[in-house]
Structures are given as C-alpha cells and as structure tokens.
Amino acid sequence: MDKLSFLKQYRKSIEVVSNRDLLNIEKENMPAKWIEIFKETDKTRKKDKLIALWNSVCEKELSNTISYLKENLLEFELIVDNGQYAVLYSVKSENDEILYYEGGIPTNSISEMQQDWSNVPESIKEFYEKLHNGFYYLPSRAMGLVPVERITHFEDHEWGILEELDGPLGVNMATTYGYFENDMGGYVAIDLNNCIGDVATLWFTNDKPEYNVDFWDIVDEWIVIGLQDQS
C-alpha cells in the first residue's frame, strides 16, 4: 500500500502539498521559518534546517527525540487536511518499519484554554507556538504531545480511578491539563497551580498517579519509545 492510501485510512481528506502550491501559501497561514524550510530544495540542507528549528525551541527538553529524528527521519512533507496544514514525518522504527508522525503548524490561537494559557510553563508554550501544535503518531493521534484543541482538561472528564485512590489528590482537577497521552490510558499532565520547574503528574486511568515528575523527561522518553516501535 502506498503512503497516501495508508494515511487516508485515518484521514480521508489528507493531501500532500506540492511545491507549486507551497509558493501560494499565505504567510498568515504558515510561519516564515516553516516556509523557508519547505522551500529548500536540497534534501540534506532541508533536514538540517528542520533539526536546527527543533534545537532552537527544545534542544534541552527533547534532546533524545531530536537525536532519534536526526538519525532516523527519512522524509518530511507539508500536508493539508480539511484546510489545516501540518507536517508529516516519515520515521524509521527500530525494526525498519516506517512510522508516520504529524506535527501541527505552530499556533497562537489558544481559544480552547485561553484563560489559562498564560499560566502554562514557558517551555511548553514555546513548543506549541514556535515548533508544532502537537507532535504525535498519526494513526492513533497519540503517543505524543496532543494539539491544543485536544488537550485534556481533567475537570471535564469522569475518572473511574478516583474511587480507588486513597487520601487527598495531589492535583487540582480544575487546573490540571493533559498535554501528552499514550494510547493506553496514560497522560503527562500539568497542574497550573503547581508547575514551577515543569513539575508534572503521570496520570493513569487504571493505576495510581505518580506526582512530581519532570514533564520533559517523561515526554522525551515516551516519544522515543513510540518512534522506536508502534507495534
């Protein structure tokens, strides 16, 4: 099965943006740095510019992810799905499969959590506003940082696990948001009332949470696990 046929199993309207169409993209729909990367015709320089952009935003926070992409990224393309642009990453897994990851175009429109966005740790805001509005395995839309519109506000969900937990909760559900999710009921969440130093909570739908973990350490580790093997 070719790549586009495979992707259309998950997104019916997905299309790859041609070089010709790239020239017509309005600047308000795409940051200048991304336009510059996609206009680069030399494949090596194009990848180098991409890695440089990742490094400029999250070299310290996602060092292992960046190293894996540097070694195993086969191709990246601009795609459009229902009028929304995104970047499609084709990454080689440890068993030589090709895995498709999606990175949304950076966003400054944070309407879904506008009132709380100013309280989000700076490093997380930088990722969403300067690199990608989420970066995740395309078929499951998980195993990565979810787009802003899919960030989980804990207060809006029923959590059966709450009935099994002893003692007071270590997070305030009204101010807690899940930015990363795997596809097995695990979240990396931030309580905006307690996030100095990127302190986070590993939250599970079927196990007790782990408090006071480092947000980026967990996210970096889990992204690489996904990139290595999604089977």
Side-chain angles (χ1 to χ4, degrees):
M1 186 183 297
D2 66 64
K3 175 167 41 181
L4 207 52
S5 298
F6 174 79
L7 296 173
K8 282 180 179 289
Q9 293 179 100
Y10 305 96
R11 307 280 184 81
K12 298 289 186 200
S13 62
I14 199 168
E15 296 293 345
V16 176
V17 177
S18 69
N19 290 337
R20 186 183 63 201
D21 290 340
L22 182 65
L23 299 174
N24 299 320
I25 290 176
E26 303 287 337
K27 281 194 168 60
E28 58 265 26
N29 294 330
M30 181 86 56
K33 283 187 177 179
W34 276 110
I35 290 178
E36 179 191 335
I37 288 170
F38 279 112
K39 283 186 175 177
E40 176 58 67
T41 54
D42 181 89
K43 279 193 171 183
T44 302
R45 284 201 300 267
K46 185 178 176 182
K47 182 175 175 179
D48 287 346
K49 286 182 177 182
L50 174 77
I51 297 299
L53 179 58
W54 276 77
N55 278 327
S56 71
V57 176
C58 52
E59 181 174 20
K60 177 171 68 75
E61 292 82 3
L62 292 176
S63 58
N64 295 313
T65 298
I66 295 169
S67 292
Y68 194 89
L69 289 174
K70 198 171 179 180
E71 293 298 319
N72 297 284
L73 178 62
L74 302 175
E75 187 179 23
F76 65 100
E77 303 154 278
L78 187 63
I79 57 173
V80 62
D81 181 19
N82 283 322
Q84 296 291 315
Y85 291 109
V87 182
L88 176 70
Y89 289 73
S90 302
V91 187
K92 185 173 69 174
S93 72
E94 284 200 324
N95 56 4
D96 290 334
E97 282 186 59
I98 297 176
L99 304 177
Y100 299 108
Y101 272 68
E102 180 174 4
I105 293 303
T107 181
N108 290 313
S109 174
I110 317 295
S111 56
E112 285 77 5
M113 55 177 300
Q114 189 77 52
Q115 61 196 29
D116 288 322
W117 191 249
S118 60
N119 298 323
V120 173
E122 204 58 41
S123 59
I124 299 175
K125 285 196 290 191
E126 288 250 317
F127 184 92
Y128 280 90
E129 294 176 358
K130 295 185 177 178
L131 184 60
H132 280 309
N133 179 20
F135 177 76
Y136 48 87
Y137 183 52
L138 187 147
S140 66
R141 299 193 185 196
M143 212 54 193
L145 289 159
V146 298
V148 166
E149 56 273 17
R150 290 184 54 238
I151 289 171
T152 301
H153 188 191
F154 274 37
E155 189 178 51
D156 296 340
H157 290 259
E158 296 288 334
W159 302 99
I161 189 67
L162 293 178
E163 299 166 10
E164 302 172 28
L165 300 178
D166 298 323
L169 272 181
V171 294
N172 179 346
M173 303 302 254
T175 54
T176 297
Y177 294 86
Y179 296 86
F180 184 107
E181 60 183 80
N182 62 19
D183 48 7
M184 296 175 289
Y187 297 78
V188 187
I190 293 268
D191 182 346
L192 299 184
N193 280 346
N194 176 30
C195 57
I196 294 171
D198 295 341
V199 167
T201 295
L202 259 180
W203 183 268
F204 302 98
T205 56
N206 56 1
D207 202 356
K208 63 181 183 181
E210 293 179 32
Y211 300 115
N212 299 317
V213 300
D214 183 280
F215 179 85
W216 289 110
D217 282 354
I218 302 296
V219 167
D220 195 22
E221 180 184 346
W222 280 12
I223 290 177
V224 172
I225 288 170
L227 289 168
Q228 288 172 336
D229 184 13
Q230 283 286 353
S231 60

